[in-house]
């Protein structure tokens, strides 16, 4: 069982930045495809960004492209999400997610495919 622990959430003003981190418990961290999801009150959980096992390929949702950057450090078993120019619509609980590749590929990770979830960290952006 992989345990994922997020940190770095908080309350900020619009235009400010936050950096979320997700630390994993297993030394097999580098084998996993990783993603960040978020869920706002009354909304469905949505994928924000995902990254391949070696960190060389990543996907970012249109709503955050140019503002958010996903990265990973396999040596430190850490996934990060740098969030710049935050807007009130970014307010949500952010979740770290992991699953093993399928046929050696990560692809776009849907929430139904996720094998391990973190507990979530709250991000609140006020105008």
């Amino acid at each position: 069982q992989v345990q994922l622990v997020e940190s770095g959430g908080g309350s900020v003003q619009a235009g400010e930045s936050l950096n979320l981190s997700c630390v994993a418990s297993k030394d097999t961290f580098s084998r996993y495809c990783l993603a960040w999801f978020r869920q706002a009150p009354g909304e469905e959980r949505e994928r924000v960004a995902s990254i391949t096992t070696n960190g060389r390929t990543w996907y970012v949702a249109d709503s955050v492209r140019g503002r958010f950057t996903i990265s990973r450090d396999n040596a430190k078993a850490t996934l990060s999400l740098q969030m710049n120019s935050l807007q009130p619509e970014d307010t949500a609980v952010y979740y770290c997610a992991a699953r093993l590749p399928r046929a050696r590929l990560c692809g776009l990770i849907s929430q139904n495919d996720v094998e391990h979830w973190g507990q979530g960290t709250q991000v609140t952006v006020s105008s």
Side-chain angles (χ1 to χ4, degrees):
Q1 182 76 8
V2 176
Q3 287 190 317
L4 303 171
V5 180
E6 300 99 333
S7 63
S11 297
V12 297
Q13 298 288 320
E16 295 184 340
S17 300
L18 284 173
N19 187 37
L20 304 184
S21 293
C22 172
V23 179
S25 61
K26 297 273 285 189
D27 57 7
T28 55
F29 176 83
S30 63
R31 295 175 54 195
Y32 285 84
C33 310
L34 301 172
W36 288 98
F37 286 76
R38 68 184 181 185
Q39 188 167 20
E43 301 290 333
E44 292 191 358
R45 193 170 295 190
E46 64 170 343
R47 183 183 56 242
V48 175
S50 61
I51 192 166
T52 54
T53 54
N54 60 13
R56 294 175 183 172
T57 304
W58 56 90
Y59 157 88
V60 180
D62 288 343
S63 58
V64 303
R65 186 165 295 129
R67 300 188 296 122
F68 290 13
T69 302
I70 187 172
S71 61
R72 66 189 293 167
D73 185 336
N74 286 339
K76 296 181 179 179
T78 300
L79 174 71
S80 299
L81 185 68
Q82 176 65 42
M83 305 187 296
N84 298 327
S85 301
L86 283 162
Q87 300 300 316
E89 53 265 35
D90 296 318
T91 295
V93 178
Y94 284 71
Y95 298 91
C96 175
R99 70 157 173 84
L100 291 170
R102 309 284 170 77
R104 302 184 181 180
L105 298 175
C106 285
L108 296 178
I109 302 173
S110 71
Q111 62 173 319
N112 292 331
D113 292 336
V114 172
E115 297 167 358
H116 306 284
W117 290 100
Q119 83 287 353
T121 185
Q122 176 71 47
V123 172
T124 302
V125 185
S126 56
S127 58

